[in-house]
Amino acid sequence: MTIFWRNTLTLAGAATLSLGIAYAQAPDLSDPPAIEGEAVGDHGSHTLRMGLGLSDTSPQYLSSRYFADILEQRTEGRITVNIFPNSQLGDDVQMMEMLQTGSLDMSYPSSSPATTYVQELAVFDLPFLLPSREAAIAVMQSDTAQRMLDAFEGTGIKALTFSENGYRQLTNSARAVESPEDVAGLDVRGLSVRTMENPVHLSIWETLGANPTPMAFGELFSAMEQGVVDGQENPWSTILTSNFYEVQDYGSETRHVYTPFIMMMSQRTWDRLAPEYQELVQEAARLSAEYEIQLSTEYDDWARDQLEERGMQITRLDDDQVAAFQEAVQPVYDRWAPRIGEDLIAEIQSIVDATQ
Ligand code: TK8
């Protein structure tokens, strides 16, 4: 099992460091935290299928393996979780539907397509809402966030925990982007940008003068390869671990939205588990989310540097340049804030303020 964690990405990281350039340190993929706690008794055997959108080098996958290992070890092999990465069982939207019908046991979608089940989740789609990772983590661990997970009750989905997808950055194959004007294009057409299946994201890219197309994540690589879209936006870790650098020449550190992942189980599966197993699943979810956030944090700047190493032209934006994006998308905020709920936004804001 230890072999598994020795990831080729680590080796690539070591190579960059040897150049003596001040690159971010490679993430420590050597071992997940030790698994602690007693085994729970025999409450039957279960084999669960878990579908993921991302690849088997992503923090999402590595932490899901850790989740599976915790369950396996603490049930003495009675619960097995088989993980299917790379959207091979479906995309976020499809897999949530499969959870509802019980044809899939677990999935780990972004919050953004899950807003069709719990509308309040759209607060995470508001641009420039969470100014720091500390603030984002505080929000994900807050009672407000727990309330959103609880609000899945009755949908056929049991939401277990939030974890980090992260700050989203724009990439494209047409031109370097430093400003909203570069997105819209002055003499040339606006960039065509794939967005998640979520109206706030659509609104962000419309407002910036792009040509947005909502699309499932699993279709994105070939859409970019075939030039169906110029670009997309995702955290650096995803851009690296999904090999988007092969079809995207330019990246800009826009950090325009921070969206979380939500680890989910089919309510039907959940109801079949003994209470002792349910408690263990909940604990394993929490521990693996902590590990996911740790990995994701370690990946972030390092993944950006890796992309640069692999030939992507990365545009870092200074505070003024970021402010220009923030100003340009203010109409999105104004339009959506009342629908998402001013009280909810104020609640999130006070959690954010307490971390500043
Ligand atoms: C993976 C997705 C992905 C998300 C997207 O299933 O769709 O762009 O960021 O990570 O959830």
Side-chain angles (χ1 to χ4, degrees):
M1 199 179 354
T2 31
I3 301 286
F4 175 83
W5 300 100
R6 243 165 251 138
N7 191 297
T8 50
L9 290 171
T10 315
L11 303 175
T16 24
L17 288 174
S18 69
L19 295 175
I21 301 167
Y23 279 117
Q25 193 156 355
D28 177 11
L29 303 178
S30 53
D31 259 323
I35 297 170
E36 284 161 9
E38 300 280 297
V40 301
D42 182 356
H43 302 280
S45 296
H46 300 270
T47 300
L48 307 182
R49 293 197 317 150
M50 181 182 202
L52 303 180
L54 298 185
S55 83
D56 64 2
T57 50
S58 64
Q60 184 185 63
Y61 180 87
L62 299 174
S63 62
S64 296
R65 284 249 28 117
Y66 180 51
F67 171 82
D69 290 345
I70 295 172
L71 290 186
E72 193 155 339
Q73 195 164 312
R74 293 196 51 198
T75 62
E76 296 170 301
R78 292 188 184 94
I79 297 184
T80 305
V81 184
N82 295 327
I83 307 172
F84 300 86
N86 284 318
S87 310
Q88 56 184 286
L89 300 185
D91 58 52
D92 284 359
V93 172
Q94 291 164 338
M95 287 197 284
M96 282 188 281
E97 287 167 5
M98 290 163 77
L99 297 181
Q100 288 187 287
T101 61
S103 57
L104 178 66
D105 299 302
M106 294 191 69
S107 189
Y108 214 153
S110 290
S111 58
S112 309
T115 53
T116 50
Y117 299 97
V118 173
Q119 248 189 329
E120 293 76 24
L121 287 170
V123 76
F124 287 107
D125 299 313
L126 287 172
F128 301 103
L129 178 78
L130 302 172
S132 67
R133 175 170 277 114
E134 292 65 37
I137 293 171
V139 169
M140 289 192 290
Q141 294 174 346
S142 67
D143 293 345
T144 310
Q146 184 58 48
R147 234 171 46 220
M148 294 184 206
L149 298 180
D150 294 344
F152 277 89
E153 171 111 49
T155 63
I157 292 172
K158 171 77 186 169
L160 296 171
T161 183
F162 283 101
S163 74
E164 172 166 302
N165 188 355
Y167 283 106
R168 302 181 75 86
Q169 326 280 9
L170 176 67
T171 70
N172 81 93
S173 57
R175 53 185 177 260
V177 171
E178 283 183 10
S179 64
E181 289 73 31
D182 293 335
V183 174
L186 293 174
D187 310 321
V188 284
R189 65 184 169 81
L191 294 176
S192 58
V193 176
R194 173 271 178 176
T195 72
M196 288 191 283
E197 290 153 295
N198 173 286
V200 183
H201 285 261
L202 203 57
S203 184
I204 290 172
W205 294 97
E206 266 164 10
T207 305
L208 287 170
N211 246 314
T213 314
M215 189 188 291
F217 182 80
E219 289 164 28
L220 180 51
F221 186 92
S222 60
M224 293 190 293
E225 192 174 36
Q226 290 162 17
V228 176
V229 292
D230 298 318
Q232 63 85 45
E233 38 85 62
N234 253 298
W236 294 130
S237 63
T238 298
I239 297 164
L240 178 67
T241 60
S242 298
N243 299 335
F244 288 174
Y245 57 89
E246 291 175 6
V247 289
Q248 298 278 275
D249 292 336
Y250 306 98
S252 298
E253 197 149 41
T254 48
R255 293 168 64 88
H256 51 278
V257 179
Y258 180 104
T259 50
F261 286 128
I262 305 175
M263 186 188 265
M264 297 176 173
M265 186 177 267
S266 165
Q267 186 70 47
R268 289 170 189 239
T269 306
W270 176 259
D271 291 341
R272 274 201 301 273
L273 299 178
E276 292 82 356
Y277 282 175
Q278 290 180 343
E279 203 179 304
L280 180 62
V281 163
Q282 191 60 72
E283 188 186 338
R286 183 180 57 77
L287 291 169
S288 68
E290 276 171 19
Y291 182 50
E292 197 277 345
I293 292 170
Q294 179 201 319
L295 281 179
S296 180
T297 305
E298 289 175 9
Y299 260 64
D300 200 16
D301 286 353
W302 172 80
R304 180 201 57 209
D305 295 348
Q306 282 296 306
L307 291 166
E308 221 160 29
E309 275 283 292
R310 291 166 198 218
M312 251 178 110
Q313 184 183 321
I314 307 274
T315 305
R316 290 169 173 74
L317 303 177
D318 64 28
D319 290 351
D320 288 345
Q321 288 171 314
V322 172
F325 276 95
Q326 187 163 4
E327 206 171 302
V329 296
Q330 187 61 40
V332 179
Y333 215 100
D334 298 341
R335 177 171 164 217
W336 284 96
R339 297 199 216 174
I340 292 167
E342 305 282 4
D343 290 350
L344 174 60
I345 295 169
E347 216 174 302
I348 300 284
Q349 208 61 61
S350 71
I351 300 167
V352 170
D353 290 347
T355 65
Q356 300 303 294

